[in-house]
Amino acid sequence: MAMSKSYPVFLLLIFLALLGWFYQSQNSQLQIQQQQELDGFKKHLGGFAQWQGSGAELYQLLSSDYRFQFFQYVDDTDGELNHTEGSLTAKDDHPLAGLFPLNLAHTQKIATGRLQIKLSANQAIEEAINNTEKLGLMLLVAYLILLGIFVALMARMKATIGYAAQYISHLPDMSFSAIATSKLSGEMSPIKLALEECRTQLKTQLDKLTQENEKLHRAAYQDPITGFGSRPRFTSKLENISQPNVPQLGLLAMVKATELAHVNQLQGRTAGDDYLSNVANCIRKACSKYPNAECFRVSSADFAVFIPDVVIKDGSKFLEQLKIFLDEYQQIIKTESTAHTGLVPYQQGANPVTLLTLADTAVSIAQTLGPNSYHIQEKLNGDEHFGDDRWKLAILDLITRQALKFYQQPIQPCRNDVEVYRELLARFYNSEGKFLPTTTVIAMAERHGLSTELDKLVVISTLKMLKENPTFSGNFGINMSAFSAHQELFVGWLKDILGKHKSIASRLVFEINEAGMQANLGASFKFVREVHSVGARVSIERFGMSFTSFKFFNEVRPDYIKLDGSYSTAIDEDSNNKFFVRMMVDVARRIGIRVIATSVERQEEKLTLEKLLVDGLQGYYIAQPQALTISDQV
């Protein structure tokens, strides 16, 4: 039973118990008093024991001291002396008189007669009834007062609980104001303090959740490196443009950071992230005059910029400004280029696939025009070569012209008895003498089946350079595609041409990517064998990225392995990388293979790798790539 219902009943029972106790007390007291009065009458009647008069006279004498409910005197000899007053049965005028039953009857023999009386208790009963009624009324009034107070307190408590319940129900949305002291005071203060503490903690937790949600939102819709919108937001923008019922027009600029793979390979991913961040800053500065421009990072090296309400003829201003910033950044990082840009128009209802194809074509054309170049492509037509076809023509042209220049990055030996080499880095340029992005040239050559011809160009150019410059001493590393190394015709051609230049061949080291070599172990072993037969050597670059790297030692037996740059990054703090490098060095030394660590960018990394007994070190901390000149000697 709820407290609001049980308390009035409990209180009523208490008051009834008090009334019952008072009634019992009054009844007992009344019985005692009347019994004392009856005993007094008996004693008083002893003075009339020899009475021989009439009963009426005796009544007059006794009634002066006592009140009788019933009086009867019966003489033994003379009936005229008999006298009777009242009745044995009381006439109860009060309905509560029955609550106080009294038996004050007495019969006694007196001389020549018999006396029977019953004293009257009406006055005492009335007094007891009055006292009981007064107490009952007082208890009733007290009960009603206490009940009223209880109802008022319960109403106040109910209102307080309702307020607290409302407060609790609004805690999740934090829309309820701070709780008033007057609402939950006194005995409700602990609840007030608990609610305040709960509200504070809940707000703290909600703030944390909000921050985490913002982080997740940024991770999902904002690129953490550049601060631009992510690919999902770019896709959403394309869908919005494709809506035919949304009036809009503008320009889409696609920017390709063409040096990302090169920077990652030579300097590490940290430098690659810095490079992307700076390219993004160049884009951001170029967009400063276009407040409504929206920038996105579409993929690892691709950016997209939407410039609304600008027509194609005004797009050159944006492109020229962007090229200025990219050229300035190129002078700082000293690379062959920074990024290339393609610009295309868009309007409402534009097909996203067609729009991106047009933009990709514009970027591809820009890449063939030189460092940081741009190209505006309004539409495609069949009279021109675009995209991949243009790249095919550009690669065929540079092969025909032998448009190649070499940069070199030395490898530092860790001991005097270790023979290492300088890595030659090929750079290609167009008919105007402007450098083309090396990574893109190699990728496009593979796409069009020209990678073998490109590798032949590198080999021929290397032999020619060393033959014409006898002052260049020492060994030189040449990058070669795994595709070419697995072609029998190419391997035969390479063996034949190296056989004609054995003195130079003995100074060459052919560098091939581990993943490509493992694609065909049989062909890889044959390539190493043929190269060794003419005195040249083989180096496997980006080594250690495969689970079968250890098996590769015995299967192919290269002369050098160049560990992937990820093993050098922060190796002074990475115990796992230390263990792997130590194990590689131990296995390689047993079979006579030299281990070279790449992407060494800090002194701590250099010192740690030297302690691990690698044979050589390469990276920006050791030496940066430089143009190969006639004065370069080892």
Side-chain angles (χ1 to χ4, degrees):
M1 184 181 293
M3 180 180 176
S4 59
K5 295 181 179 180
S6 60
Y7 179 79
V9 175
F10 179 71
L11 188 63
L12 179 61
L13 291 176
I14 291 178
F15 276 76
L16 290 176
L18 288 174
L19 184 61
W21 171 81
F22 183 80
Y23 161 72
Q24 291 293 339
S25 176
Q26 285 289 303
N27 193 28
S28 299
Q29 185 177 357
L30 182 62
Q31 294 287 350
I32 294 172
Q33 289 177 353
Q34 295 306 309
Q35 186 63 40
Q36 290 175 350
E37 185 176 0
L38 181 61
D39 292 341
F41 173 76
K42 291 178 181 179
K43 185 177 181 181
H44 180 70
L45 189 60
F48 296 91
Q50 302 300 321
W51 175 264
Q52 294 182 357
S54 66
E57 291 178 356
L58 182 60
Y59 175 76
Q60 291 295 327
L61 291 174
L62 293 176
S63 62
S64 62
D65 295 318
Y66 297 95
R67 288 178 296 175
F68 297 98
Q69 177 184 327
F70 176 74
F71 181 91
Q72 186 181 54
Y73 177 77
V74 179
D75 190 80
D76 294 336
T77 60
D78 188 358
E80 292 182 358
L81 297 178
N82 295 343
H83 183 77
T84 301
E85 288 284 343
S87 171
L88 285 173
T89 304
K91 295 180 180 179
D92 298 331
D93 295 331
H94 198 286
L96 299 179
L99 295 175
F100 300 96
L102 293 174
N103 185 14
L104 301 180
H106 178 67
T107 302
Q108 184 175 334
K109 181 69 176 174
I110 301 176
T112 59
R114 181 177 63 86
L115 178 64
Q116 182 180 1
I117 60 97
K118 188 175 184 179
L119 295 177
S120 174
N122 289 340
Q123 184 177 356
I125 291 175
E126 287 180 2
E127 184 178 352
I129 291 174
N130 288 336
N131 290 338
T132 304
E133 286 180 342
K134 288 180 181 178
L135 179 63
L137 182 60
M138 291 174 59
L139 290 176
L140 178 61
V141 172
Y143 174 77
L144 293 176
I145 291 174
L146 292 177
L147 186 62
I149 294 173
F150 174 76
V151 171
L153 289 176
M154 289 302 297
R156 182 172 178 268
M157 179 67 70
K158 184 177 181 180
T160 303
I161 293 174
Y163 183 87
Q166 185 183 11
Y167 185 91
I168 293 172
S169 66
H170 284 80
L171 282 177
D173 54 22
M174 302 303 296
S175 63
F176 207 70
S177 61
I179 196 162
T181 305
S182 60
K183 296 290 184 179
L184 293 176
S185 59
E187 67 278 1
M188 300 297 287
S189 295
I191 295 179
K192 177 188 70 175
L193 296 176
L195 287 175
E196 283 296 316
E197 180 66 20
C198 178
R199 185 172 67 89
T200 302
Q201 292 184 4
L202 184 59
K203 186 177 185 304
T204 301
Q205 293 298 323
L206 287 175
D207 290 342
K208 290 181 179 179
L209 290 175
T210 301
Q211 293 175 0
E212 292 297 327
N213 184 58
E214 290 177 354
K215 290 180 181 178
L216 292 174
H217 186 273
R218 286 195 296 269
Y221 297 104
Q222 181 176 329
D223 178 60
I225 297 175
T226 63
F228 288 171
S230 61
R231 186 177 183 85
R233 291 187 62 186
F234 172 72
T235 303
S236 177
K237 178 66 177 180
L238 285 178
E239 291 176 353
N240 183 51
I241 290 176
S242 65
Q243 300 298 322
N245 57 347
V246 181
Q248 53 187 325
L249 62 86
L251 302 177
L252 167 61
M254 294 297 294
V255 183
K256 182 178 287 293
T258 48
E259 296 301 302
L260 177 61
H262 183 67
V263 173
N264 281 340
Q265 181 179 1
L266 295 181
Q267 303 179 48
R269 295 192 178 276
T270 301
D273 290 344
D274 292 339
Y275 162 69
L276 289 174
S277 178
N278 283 290
V279 171
N281 287 335
C282 293
I283 296 173
R284 193 175 285 111
K285 288 189 291 185
C287 292
S288 60
K289 296 182 180 179
Y290 305 92
N292 295 324
E294 298 180 72
C295 303
F296 305 89
R297 185 184 176 193
V298 180
S299 63
S300 59
D302 295 326
F303 300 90
V305 181
F306 288 94
I307 308 176
D309 305 321
V310 177
V311 295
I312 194 73
K313 65 179 181 179
D314 296 327
S316 57
K317 297 179 182 178
F318 166 78
L319 295 173
E320 290 170 359
Q321 193 65 41
L322 176 59
K323 188 176 187 307
I324 291 173
F325 294 129
L326 294 176
D327 288 341
E328 291 175 352
Y329 180 56
Q330 181 185 351
Q331 297 300 317
I332 297 174
I333 61 175
K334 300 183 185 321
T335 58
E336 60 188 41
S337 67
T338 303
H340 295 81
T341 309
L343 188 72
V344 298
Y346 70 84
Q347 58 185 1
Q348 67 186 71
N351 184 290
V353 175
T354 302
L355 184 64
L356 293 179
T357 301
L358 189 65
D360 184 65
T361 298
V363 173
S364 296
I365 294 174
Q367 287 178 298
T368 66
L369 301 178
N372 309 324
S373 295
Y374 59 82
H375 179 74
I376 300 175
Q377 189 69 40
E378 186 170 0
K379 61 181 180 178
L380 294 177
N381 57 64
D383 298 332
E384 301 178 33
H385 294 285
F386 295 101
D388 288 354
D389 289 339
R390 188 180 182 98
W391 265 112
K392 183 177 181 180
L393 293 176
I395 294 172
L396 289 173
D397 176 65
L398 67 86
I399 291 175
T400 301
R401 294 185 294 105
Q402 296 187 351
L404 175 150
K405 292 182 180 180
F406 283 115
Y407 281 65
Q408 57 94 16
Q409 185 179 30
I411 297 172
Q412 175 182 303
C414 294
R415 298 183 305 279
N416 294 331
D417 61 335
V418 175
E419 184 182 19
V420 289
Y421 57 92
R422 284 183 283 179
E423 180 180 356
L424 293 179
L425 305 172
R427 297 293 181 263
F428 307 97
Y429 53 91
N430 61 14
S431 57
E432 298 177 1
K434 296 180 179 180
F435 281 114
L436 301 175
T438 304
T439 304
T440 306
V441 170
I442 295 174
M444 290 298 176
E446 291 180 356
R447 179 180 299 182
H448 294 287
L450 297 174
S451 58
T452 299
E453 298 302 320
L454 202 63
D455 287 335
K456 287 182 179 180
L457 172 62
V458 173
V459 172
I460 293 171
S461 299
T462 302
L463 294 173
K464 180 180 179 181
M465 176 195 67
L466 295 178
K467 185 177 180 180
E468 294 177 352
N469 297 278
T471 57
F472 289 169
S473 59
N475 300 330
F476 293 87
I478 304 173
N479 288 283
M480 181 173 292
S481 69
F483 176 81
S484 297
H486 292 164
Q487 302 300 311
E488 290 188 9
L489 291 177
F490 176 82
V491 174
W493 172 86
L494 181 63
K495 180 180 179 182
D496 181 63
I497 195 171
L498 292 179
K500 297 176 181 179
H501 302 84
K502 287 189 176 182
S503 60
I504 297 177
S506 61
R507 298 166 57 194
L508 299 181
V509 180
F510 293 94
E511 293 192 357
I512 307 177
N513 186 280
E514 180 197 17
M517 292 291 278
Q518 292 211 33
N520 189 337
L521 290 179
S524 298
F525 173 75
K526 184 177 180 180
F527 171 78
V528 174
R529 184 185 62 192
E530 296 297 333
V531 168
H532 283 170
S533 69
V534 292
R537 280 163 288 187
V538 177
S539 177
I540 306 302
E541 64 175 351
R542 303 203 67 179
F543 192 82
M545 299 304 291
S546 170
F547 291 107
T548 59
S549 294
F550 289 99
K551 181 182 178 182
F552 193 75
F553 278 128
N554 294 321
E555 295 283 344
V556 178
R557 293 295 182 96
D559 302 280
Y560 300 91
I561 58 171
K562 298 178 72 173
L563 298 176
D564 185 77
S566 60
Y567 292 107
S568 300
T569 303
I571 192 171
D572 52 308
E573 302 172 357
D574 193 328
S575 59
N576 291 329
N577 280 354
K578 288 180 183 177
F579 174 77
F580 181 85
V581 173
R582 186 181 295 111
M583 184 168 51
M584 281 290 184
V585 170
D586 182 58
V587 175
R589 283 199 169 185
R590 293 180 186 180
I591 55 179
I593 297 176
R594 300 297 188 186
V595 179
I596 298 171
T598 62
S599 300
V600 181
E601 300 179 14
R602 298 186 299 117
Q603 183 181 17
E604 294 80 4
E605 295 170 351
K606 174 181 179 293
L607 295 176
T608 302
L609 289 165
E610 287 177 339
K611 291 179 181 179
L612 293 173
L613 303 178
V614 297
D615 298 292
L617 301 169
Q618 184 180 23
Y620 265 51
Y621 183 78
I622 306 302
Q624 296 186 17
Q626 298 178 348
L628 189 63
T629 63
I630 195 170
S631 60
D632 288 321
Q633 300 182 22
V634 177

